[in-house]
Amino acid sequence: MGRWAIAVHGGAGIDPNLPVERQEQAKQLLTRCLNLGIAALRSNVSAIDVVELVVRELETDPLFNSGRGSALTENGTVEMEASIMDGTKRRCGAVSGITTVKNPISLARLVMDKSPHSYLAFSGAEEFARKQGVETVDNDYFVTEDNVGMLKLAKEANSILFDYRVPLIGCAGAAVNDSPLQMNGLPISIYAPETVGCVVVDREGRCAAGTSTGGLMNKMMGRIGDSPLIGAGTYASELCGVSCTGEGEAIIRSTLARDVSAVMEYKGVGLQEAVDYVIKHRLDEGFAGLIAVSNKGEVVCGFNSNGMFRGCATEDGFIEVAMWE
């Protein structure tokens, strides 16, 4: 029997002026989800089941950008995406363009378990959901008052907003080209995505990972980020489980999650060294973060942004919920 470990995240990149009340709300949610996963692991629930359980909880709470509370498209609607992966046999499932499924992570799990495919999107994913009998709601369920307000700011700034809940004083009237931050060479406003994810290794040494998001505020219809892409935003193998967050286009270009496993496998290094390597050498000028567990019961969080909402725990009693370095 090995040692279990778990980590959760609520996004990399945090505004230094984030109100204290919101910081505390984030910590409380991460702590609740962490304790939910810990209780399940102590009851010998499998890694893949714990990942789904914890991400569902994160999707249900509107605080972060997944499920209810997801960022809005340029048309004011929600298009969600998620992926999940079981490292034991590298089985995976992913979905994009989800508009009515209450918990996209569970639909991704069904794609893995109940379909011959690994990835379904838009109308095909919605039709599969109906056939599987999963819980669906009107798109309005996912839309919050805060998000409607932030979409208005984004449109006034003619920009994509990453942190859509922090008041952007002066942003709406500022020239977007003044921003030093870029995505695919194009200027954006500020950087603080709030994608959610969970990675777990159970006592059997089985690793699993899952990631879920609403994407970017004011994104183009049909935009797909890193979160549902196996190897980019999510990856699990017999060695480790990884969930990423941050600038999606940079994560996609670097196949960030898969690279952690590859560095461990090909260089023969441990989890900490592998995470440090990919964060330093694979993101180019992008900003991102990740959480990871190894089959030895290790847990690591790494990021090059100015913070990351995260929590982690191990069977030997270590537990931490943090935002900054």
Side-chain angles (χ1 to χ4, degrees):
M1 298 288 286
R3 298 179 303 165
W4 58 256
I6 181 174
V8 297
H9 74 72
I14 304 173
D15 190 295
N17 299 314
L18 186 68
V20 173
E21 180 183 2
R22 173 150 165 73
Q23 294 184 36
E24 289 305 312
Q25 290 173 343
K27 289 179 180 178
Q28 290 172 12
L29 175 56
L30 291 171
T31 300
R32 187 176 83 231
C33 292
L34 201 58
N35 287 333
L36 182 67
I38 290 170
L41 285 164
R42 285 174 175 167
S43 299
N44 294 318
V45 176
S46 69
I48 192 70
D49 288 340
V50 176
V51 164
E52 182 183 3
L53 175 72
V54 170
V55 176
R56 280 179 62 94
E57 185 72 11
L58 288 163
E59 290 175 336
T60 302
D61 193 294
L63 188 65
F64 290 132
N65 175 16
S66 68
R68 186 163 183 261
S70 285
L72 304 180
T73 68
E74 59 189 353
N75 289 353
T77 58
V78 167
E79 290 184 351
M80 300 168 291
E81 46 196 22
S83 62
I84 193 167
M85 188 164 185
D86 187 347
T88 305
K89 293 183 179 180
R90 288 195 291 275
R91 299 170 59 246
C92 59
V95 292
S96 287
I98 301 303
T99 60
T100 65
V101 175
K102 190 173 183 179
N103 291 106
I105 193 69
S106 291
L107 184 59
R109 175 76 184 272
L110 285 169
V111 171
M112 180 179 75
D113 289 342
K114 302 294 184 179
S115 86
H117 306 302
S118 296
Y119 196 162
L120 294 175
F122 297 94
S123 60
E126 293 281 345
E127 177 63 21
F128 176 72
R130 286 190 289 272
K131 290 180 178 178
Q132 293 297 317
V134 302
E135 184 176 4
T136 58
V137 292
D138 291 336
N139 196 255
D140 288 347
Y141 163 85
F142 303 104
V143 179
T144 66
E145 185 177 346
D146 285 346
N147 289 351
V148 172
M150 282 300 162
L151 178 62
K152 182 175 183 292
L153 285 179
K155 287 185 175 297
E156 289 173 353
N158 191 28
S159 180
I160 295 169
L161 298 188
F162 278 86
D163 187 351
Y164 50 89
R165 290 185 179 85
V166 179
L168 305 179
I169 299 174
C171 176
V176 178
N177 289 331
D178 292 341
S179 172
L181 300 174
Q182 296 187 338
M183 173 177 286
N184 277 352
L186 300 176
I188 59 172
S189 51
I190 58 174
Y191 180 84
E194 296 180 340
T195 292
V196 306
C198 178
V199 293
V200 173
V201 58
D202 59 28
R203 286 173 175 158
E204 301 297 324
R206 298 171 297 198
C207 299
T211 311
S212 180
T213 189
L216 307 178
M217 180 62 71
N218 199 28
K219 66 183 180 180
M220 294 175 64
M221 297 292 292
R223 184 262 184 182
I224 294 174
D226 67 286
S227 297
L229 301 184
I230 299 300
T234 303
Y235 193 75
S237 66
E238 68 280 0
L239 293 175
C240 63
V242 184
S243 174
C244 300
T245 172
E247 184 185 329
E249 278 64 17
I251 294 170
I252 292 169
R253 292 194 303 269
S254 63
T255 58
L256 197 65
R258 162 61 180 157
D259 235 32
V260 174
S261 182
V263 169
M264 292 180 70
E265 181 178 355
Y266 300 142
K267 292 175 70 73
V269 302
L271 184 65
Q272 182 71 64
E273 187 174 348
V275 169
D276 290 344
Y277 181 85
V278 301
I279 291 293
K280 182 177 181 179
H281 297 288
R282 289 292 180 261
L283 283 169
D284 302 321
E285 297 180 355
F287 292 93
L290 62 84
I291 54 175
V293 292
S294 77
N295 59 6
K296 297 179 181 179
E298 304 164 299
V299 61
V300 174
C301 303
F303 53 93
N304 67 352
S305 55
N306 62 336
M308 180 169 73
F309 294 106
R310 64 197 186 276
C312 55
T314 60
E315 190 164 13
D316 60 13
F318 171 78
I319 185 168
E320 177 186 63
V321 173
M323 294 172 50
W324 313 108
E325 291 188 9

